[in-house]
Structures are given as structure tokens and as C-alpha cells.
Amino acid sequence: MTRAWDQPAPELAPAPVPNAAGMGLEALRGLVAGLGESGFRAAQIFEGLYRHRWTRWEQFTSLSRDLRARLQERAGLSWPEIVDSAGSDDGSTKHAFRLEDGHVVEGVHMPYRDRTTLCLSSQVGCAMGCTFCATGLMGIKRNLGAGEIVGQVVTMLNAHGHAGNDPVNLVFMGMGEPLHNLDQVMAAFALLTDPRGLALSPRRITLSTSGLVSGIQRLAAHARRPRLALSLNATTDAYRDRIMPVNRAWNLAALRDALKAFPLEHGERITLEYVLLQGVTDSLEDGRRLAAFAAQFPSKVNLIPFNPHEGSGFEPPSEQRIGELMALLAAKGLTVSVRRSRGQDVAGACGQLARRQQR
Ligand code: SAH
Ligand code: SF4
């Protein structure tokens, strides 16, 4: 049987004029060569796009007025546009981005005391079909291009007035399965970490996967790569099969083997995300099995109380149970944290703001 994630997702149809937003240096060289300009201009455009985060050709004052006019004609400069935002009491803001073809994805800006974390989408919808996830219910529409991924970062940093050297963490925990769109995610990673541009630290970028083992293996082969988080979410194959269809292709044993073989840097750990669904995945037995799974490689555990959304059929765990599981895992010597879904009061669970836009 072929499964939705075995097929590559559709890509954005090419625009009549190329969009410079999201081009790497090579592509920019091609663009300026077509205008009879030297490669030096490409480097200036690269800096304007990714270091200065400029959004209109008029801002590129390092270029001649004449070149700016020709670029205006020959190339688009279009970052994803924020069409809806919802601020939360906890200080985070969930943004809905409209893409060139009208699709909407979401990103979240989360300020903390010492850093800002941006949560990014990697696809429109998702092919993985996890039954508890609002994005999973949408199905897959298409992959995001590298420029649309970088564009979420550029647009959020601009919207929130960040300076170029503010400490920023990125997590691929919005819509989509990043390992189902690994080429574009890695192209975005290269742009995001380029010292001539946004210059974000690779160590501060985390890719979260539902457990696409073929993708974990491909990621492992990259020398420069983001950190890895795995959405474990269940501790027996029977339950994981039920809530995450990907488990029927790669079960817990296959996942464990892939994670044990994943080459880690000194001090690097794999994050295990664990969504707590009341009466499904939140028993104390689950806690003990989770601890045993996590002990097999360098890891830290992140418990995520289920964020309810309309029609999901699941409930969040009790506060008492969250506390019991925290204590159980800590007693086993694991590093454990609880992720309260930021923005819960205004925008709800993963994927919901974009779904509201679609309706
Ligand atoms: N597709 C990737 C990354 C995006 S989902 C993945 O699944 O890892 C990011 C995280 O949100 C995952 O850990 C997922 O299990 C979790 N999640 C999805 N829907 C949720 C909900 N309604 N409440 C709490 N966590 C949820
Ligand atoms: Fe896709 Fe992740 Fe949602 Fe599963 S939890 S459907 S992999 S976005």
C-alpha cells in the first residue's frame, strides 16, 4: 500500500516572474547575470534580503536606482504576508501567513526572558494524519518552499521589531511534517544559518518529526543540520498505531533503532515530545515505559498536555496526573519539562488559526 507520506507533496507552482525572496546566492547570481550585472550585486541583494530583512526593492539603496527599477520589473520580492494575528495573555502571538497562491499557514512568536522562539510551518496541511492534531485533519495541500519557510522568520522578526543580533530559537513545530519536505527545510536551514544573512545558530534550530524513519536517516547524513525532536506521544505500538498512522510503517522498535543510530554532537540530546491525552496516553504505566524508551539514547522529555480543539474527541490530562508523571520521570533521572501550549486562550491548538482562515 502506498501511503500519503511516500509521495512527495505538491510544490508551489512557479510564478510568472521569479521571486527573489528565498533565493540563495547562486540563484541571485543568475538573476543579476540576466540583467548584465556582476556577482557582487548578488551578494548585496543577499545581505539586503536576509541581514537587513528588507521587503521592498526601494529599500535596497546600496544598488543603483536604475538596477532597482530593473529588478522591480524582472523579479518579485514577496515574503509571506500576515493576514491575521492573535495575541495571547502569555505574550505569544500566533500569526496566519497568506502565501502567493492564497494558502494560509501559521507561525508563532514566543518571547521569553533571554530569547525569542519562533514556531514555523513546513507544509500547508500534513500527510501524516495524526488523529489528535488539527493540522492532520486538513490533509496535505503542498510543501512550503525554502523562501516561504525563511519568510515566516523574516516577517515575524520584522513585525516584532527585532534587532539583527537578538537571540532567536526556531522550532519546526507548526503545520506539516518537516521530514516530508526535507529538501526545502534544509535549503531554508542553510539560508537561516548563513553568517552573511540571518546568521542564526544551527544549535538553536529544532526540527520535530512524527517519526518518519527514512527522513531521520536522511537527516542523519547531513553534517550541518538542525537538532532533532521526536513526537513519541505513545508508549505501546497498539496505542501509537491508533493515534499516529506513521507507526504502522515504522513502529517503536524501528524508531528506537533510528534514534540510537542518529549521530549526536557532544552534549546534544534528542527531545522526546509526548502529548498527554487523558485516558489514552497518560497512565503511570505510560510514564514508566516512556522513561525506559528515553533511557536508550541521550534525551530530554517534553510533556505536552493536549490542547483541545473542536471535534477531536480527546481531552487534556488532569493537573494532578501531569504532576505525577513529571515526578515519575524526574525520579528516573530524566530531564523533563512541561510545554503549556502558548496562545491557547486566543488561537487554540496547532493548526487552528490557519483553519479559521480557510473557512
Ligand atoms: N509534524 C511534526 C511537527 C509539527 S507538530 C511532528 O508531529 O512532530 C508539533 C507538535 O505538536 C508535535 O509534538 C505534536 O504531537 C503536537 N501536537 C499536535 N496537535 C496537538 C494538540 N492538539 N495538542 C498538543 N500537542 C499537539
Ligand atoms: Fe502532521 Fe505533526 Fe500534526 Fe502529526 S502531529 S498530523 S505529523 S503536524
Side-chain angles (χ1 to χ4, degrees):
M1 192 184 112
T2 61
R3 304 171 198 264
W5 57 81
D6 288 332
Q7 318 283 341
E11 307 281 338
L12 173 67
V17 284
N19 185 5
M23 283 187 184
L25 208 45
E26 275 314 301
L28 289 171
R29 282 204 188 100
L31 177 69
V32 297
L35 299 172
E37 298 279 341
S38 80
F40 176 64
R41 300 295 167 211
Q44 287 181 315
I45 298 174
F46 188 94
E47 270 208 359
L49 289 172
Y50 306 111
R51 189 206 287 266
H52 303 301
R53 309 190 313 249
W54 288 333
T55 57
R56 288 173 292 110
W57 287 122
E58 302 92 83
Q59 292 170 294
F60 288 66
T61 45
S62 49
L63 307 174
S64 69
R65 185 186 295 269
D66 166 64
L67 178 55
R68 289 200 309 260
R70 280 181 294 146
L71 282 165
Q72 189 91 50
E73 267 170 39
R74 298 281 289 274
L77 202 180
S78 139
W79 294 114
E81 184 198 354
I82 293 177
V83 289
D84 191 10
S85 301
S88 161
D89 290 343
D90 63 22
S92 65
T93 312
K94 199 170 237 194
H95 296 290
F97 297 95
R98 189 176 50 225
L99 309 173
E100 277 179 74
D101 60 356
H103 280 307
V104 174
V105 293
E106 67 182 31
V108 189
H109 177 271
M110 295 172 277
Y112 295 90
R113 221 176 319 120
D114 55 344
R115 65 182 191 281
T116 295
T117 299
L118 305 179
C119 176
L120 308 178
S121 293
S122 56
Q123 297 180 308
V124 184
C126 185
M128 308 310 291
C130 305
T131 56
F132 54 86
C133 173
T135 308
L137 298 177
M138 285 175 61
I140 179 75
K141 304 285 188 265
R142 70 167 172 87
N143 280 334
L144 295 191
E148 293 173 319
I149 295 169
V150 175
Q152 296 168 61
V153 177
V154 167
T155 306
M156 282 195 272
L157 292 179
N158 283 345
H160 292 270
H162 281 281
N165 55 359
D166 285 355
V168 172
N169 290 1
L170 302 181
V171 294
F172 283 92
M173 295 181 187
M175 299 168 77
E177 166 53 58
L179 293 184
H180 189 216
N181 185 19
L182 187 58
D183 292 345
Q184 296 297 325
V185 167
M186 290 309 288
F189 176 80
L191 286 174
L192 292 163
T193 57
D194 192 310
R196 296 163 293 189
L198 286 147
L200 301 180
S201 164
R203 292 166 184 222
R204 289 171 167 272
I205 303 179
T206 300
L207 181 160
S208 170
T209 179
S210 57
L212 208 52
V213 166
S214 56
I216 294 174
Q217 289 163 343
R218 281 182 64 205
L219 183 67
H222 288 264
R224 285 184 90 254
R225 54 159 177 80
R227 304 239 147 166
L228 184 63
L230 171 84
S231 300
L232 186 65
N233 295 352
T235 63
T236 64
D237 281 322
Y239 275 100
R240 201 163 190 274
D241 280 353
R242 231 174 82 186
I243 60 173
M244 302 184 75
V246 68
N247 199 66
R248 297 173 212 154
W250 289 283
N251 64 14
L252 288 167
L255 262 182
R256 175 205 58 208
D257 292 346
L259 297 180
K260 282 175 82 167
F262 196 77
L264 299 176
E265 274 175 32
H266 183 70
E268 182 180 359
R269 293 191 279 179
I270 295 172
T271 302
L272 292 178
E273 299 161 274
Y274 192 88
V275 176
L276 295 167
L277 305 170
Q278 190 186 105
V280 184
T281 62
D282 71 341
S283 73
L284 296 179
E285 265 306 298
D286 282 315
R288 283 186 277 273
R289 285 188 294 255
L290 170 56
F293 190 90
Q296 301 176 101
F297 43 85
S299 67
K300 53 189 172 186
V301 174
N302 192 209
L303 298 177
I304 314 175
F306 175 65
N307 197 347
H309 52 94
E310 213 181 307
S312 74
F314 295 105
E315 296 293 331
S318 67
E319 283 303 317
Q320 185 189 331
R321 181 47 58 88
I322 298 171
E324 288 166 349
L325 287 167
M326 285 282 283
L328 185 159
L329 294 164
K332 303 252 184 207
L334 294 166
T335 306
V336 50
S337 56
V338 178
R339 190 196 314 154
R340 303 282 166 185
S341 297
R342 308 249 292 173
Q344 197 162 13
D345 48 330
V346 284
C350 172
Q352 280 185 9
L353 192 67
R355 275 174 94 210
R356 194 168 84 202
Q357 275 288 319
Q358 277 198 333
R359 278 201 287 263

